[in-house]
Amino acid sequence: MKKFIFGLIVGLLIPAIGGYFYIKLGMMPVATASAPLPMEEKIAKMALKARISKEAPKSSPVTADETNMTQGAHVYVENCAFCHGFAGEKASFAAKGMFPLPPQLLSEDMVTDDPVGVTFWKVENGIRLTGMPGFKDMLTPTQMWQVSQMLAQADKLPVQTKAALAKPAAIAVAAPSTAPAPPEQQKTKRK
Ligand code: HEC
């Protein structure tokens, strides 16, 4: 019995000490460009899914009509496109330097399969340690539902809503000239 307890203590201590030195010696990845830890994304996704399935509203008080979705498009262009990009864009300006990457919600990584309440939850609460902000204090619940409804229909938007999602000319022109040149070492690493 004594041996067993001794073994148990040592068995628990070694990983704890190992973990401490792993972090203390600066080996833990902290830069956005570092490779993910094994299981890092899997564990983060599991935690998020479990929490959301508990809390996400099951139905929307805002309908997916053209007016609401067009309002949602304005909310998107002003608050989300910097990270989540415009239609047809491969990666937004910010999407090149973040970890995890913000999915491009109007082109490659649509959330049209997600229940609208799940998207609403993410917009309202944000996703901790990812750069996805919670908009609870910045947008009204109606605005958050409008943008969530728009994203839920992103593959079949009415013409008026699509037009409201176009990249504003000011951004299209200003972005390349005001963009600071990326540091040398990043230039070589990133596609
Ligand atoms: C500063 C950058 C940033 C802004 C601004 C931002 N997001 Fe995000 N968002 C992210 C990142 C990064 C993720 C990925 C998080 C992850 O991998 O878990 C994300 C994830 C999401 C997701 C989950 C996507 C999925 O595939 O499950 C949704 C939905 C979303 N954002 C909607 C929005 C909306 C709507 C807005 C504007 C109201 C917005 N975001 C503004 C960075 C941003």
Side-chain angles (χ1 to χ4, degrees):
M1 190 62 190
K2 249 190 198 157
K3 255 193 191 161
F4 172 76
I5 291 175
F6 180 73
L8 193 73
I9 292 172
V10 172
L12 290 173
L13 231 68
I14 289 174
I17 294 172
Y20 176 79
F21 280 106
Y22 180 70
I23 295 168
K24 246 341 219 189
L25 294 176
M27 283 152 75
M28 178 116 167
V30 287
T32 57
S34 305
L37 285 169
M39 309 279 290
E40 180 176 343
E41 281 177 61
K42 214 174 191 161
I43 293 172
K45 289 235 156 82
M46 244 169 74
L48 185 67
K49 223 173 145 186
R51 181 62 171 261
I52 290 179
S53 70
K54 216 166 61 177
E55 290 185 357
K58 300 279 177 276
S59 64
S60 168
V62 167
T63 54
D65 60 33
E66 185 162 336
T67 312
N68 279 328
M69 289 199 290
T70 304
Q71 285 306 318
H74 292 304
V75 172
Y76 184 89
V77 169
E78 275 168 38
N79 303 283
C80 323
F82 174 72
C83 288
H84 290 293
F86 290 92
E89 230 179 17
K90 264 212 143 37
S92 69
F93 194 49
K96 297 189 173 88
M98 295 182 75
F99 180 93
L101 291 174
Q104 300 302 288
L105 298 177
L106 294 182
S107 38
E108 302 184 317
D109 307 290
M110 298 194 172
V111 287
T112 48
D113 290 340
D114 289 356
V116 67
V118 167
T119 298
F120 176 85
W121 190 97
K122 291 175 183 170
V123 177
E124 183 181 38
N125 298 289
I127 305 172
R128 202 177 165 90
L129 300 181
T130 72
M132 169 62 194
F135 287 89
K136 197 186 273 182
D137 296 331
M138 287 88 93
L139 298 174
T140 64
T142 305
Q143 286 176 312
M144 292 189 284
W145 279 114
Q146 285 168 332
V147 73
S148 304
Q149 287 287 24
M150 184 280 290
L151 288 173
Q153 326 288 327
D155 53 348
K156 44 176 187 289
L157 292 173
V159 184
Q160 196 198 336
T161 308
K162 263 196 196 148
L165 280 174
K167 193 170 189 164
I171 298 180
V173 175
S177 54
T178 53
E184 272 313 311
Q185 131 223 33
Q186 286 188 7
K187 229 190 245 168
T188 50
K189 262 199 221 150
R190 294 244 167 78
K191 290 154 257 167

